[in-house]
Amino acid sequence: MASISSTTSFPFKIILGSSSPARREILADMGYEFIVMSADIDEKAIRKDKPDELVKALAEAKAEAIKLKLHDDCGPGSDQTTLLITSDQVMVSKGVIRERPRSAEEAREFIKGERFSFLVIVRYVMSERKRHLQGGIDNASSSFLLTGYSDDRAFAVNFVLVSNLSTGATKGGWDIPEIKFKNIPDEFIDRVVNQGEMTCVAGGLKLTHPSVLPFIIKELVGTADSVRGLPRELTEKLIRESLEAKAE
C-alpha cells in the first residue's frame, strides 16, 4: 500500500515525540515533514510487569507530557490538524525486559550474559520471595546462562501511539519482531561496549548497525525499521486511522 505522504498532500502537521535519531530517520524516509519534541519524563518511574503493557504505558505517558507542553496550540479550533507520534521499545530476552542499559557493564551483561551457579539463583529467589525451597541443593551444580543474546533469540516489543490533537482521537498498536542470534564472540562484545554509542538503545545493542547485523544476526523475523524503534507499516496505518477517526 502506498503511503499517505507519497500519494496525497494532506493539510496536517506531525510532531514526533522522540529524541531517537533512528525514529527521526525512519519517519523522514517515509516522506513526512515533522518537528521533534522530547517528553522528558522519568521512564524508570513507570513500571509494568509485562513488556507489552510497559511500552504502551510509556508511549502514552510521553504523549501526555508533550500535550502539556503544547497547551492549546494544536487543539480544537487550531488552523491545522496536528498528529503527535510517540512510541517506546524494550527488548525481551529469556522473558526478561531489557530497556536502555544504565552503564557499559550492564550493556555487556545484556549481550553476553552472566553465569551464576544454581545455588546463587536459589538464594536469590529465597531472599526475594521469602519462601523456603524443599529438598537439598547441590553445591556442585553446573552454572547456567541467566541472560544474554548469544546463540539465543530476543524480541523487540514496540508500541506506537498516534494522537490527533485536533480531534482527540488516538490510535495505537504493537509490532514485535523476533531476532535470532549467532554465537557472539567476546572480542565483538568488548568492541561494541567500548564504542558506547552502539549500546545506548533498548536492549543494549544497535542490532541493525552495519557493524552488527551481518556478524551476529542469524535471522530477523520482522522488519529492520521495527527493530530500530519505529515500524513503518504500523505507523502509516495509525496515521491513516487517526485522520479518519471521529473525535473521542
Side-chain angles (χ1 to χ4, degrees), residues 63-224:
E64 289 306 313
I66 291 173
K67 288 176 187 178
L68 289 175
K69 290 183 178 183
L70 291 169
H71 298 292
D72 298 324
D73 293 345
C74 304
S78 60
D79 295 336
Q80 190 177 29
T81 297
T82 302
L83 304 181
L84 169 62
I85 300 175
T86 54
S87 63
D88 199 77
Q89 180 194 78
V90 297
M91 295 290 291
V92 178
S93 175
K94 297 179 178 69
V96 179
I97 296 174
R98 297 302 189 197
E99 298 178 81
R100 184 177 299 182
R102 291 165 291 187
S103 65
E105 271 313 302
E106 189 171 46
R108 187 187 303 276
E109 177 189 327
F110 285 5
I111 304 167
K112 181 179 180 179
E114 295 292 339
R115 292 187 178 274
F116 299 94
S117 69
F118 183 69
L119 177 60
V120 169
I121 298 303
V122 171
R123 284 175 174 169
Y124 172 78
V125 171
M126 290 175 69
S127 65
E128 288 294 305
R129 300 186 180 181
K130 300 183 183 299
R131 62 189 178 95
H132 296 285
L133 300 178
Q134 300 299 319
I137 299 173
D138 182 6
N139 290 331
S141 295
S142 61
S143 63
F144 65 96
L145 193 63
L146 179 65
T147 60
Y149 302 138
S150 188
D151 284 321
D152 207 334
R153 62 178 183 167
F155 298 88
V157 182
N158 297 278
F159 185 83
V160 180
L161 180 68
V162 178
S163 306
N164 188 325
L165 302 183
S166 302
T167 67
T170 60
K171 296 293 177 181
W174 291 267
D175 193 76
I176 308 176
E178 177 184 1
I179 306 101
K180 299 179 181 179
F181 293 92
K182 303 175 185 177
N183 178 266
I184 306 177
D186 287 348
E187 56 270 24
F188 176 89
I189 298 172
D190 291 339
R191 186 169 73 250
V192 298
V193 169
N194 289 336
Q195 288 177 4
E197 73 274 7
M198 293 295 297
T199 59
C200 58
V201 294
L205 184 59
K206 289 185 178 179
L207 296 174
T208 57
H209 192 277
S211 67
V212 174
L213 185 58
F215 300 104
I216 68 167
I217 305 299
K218 183 186 301 181
E219 182 182 359
L220 171 58
V221 183
T223 62

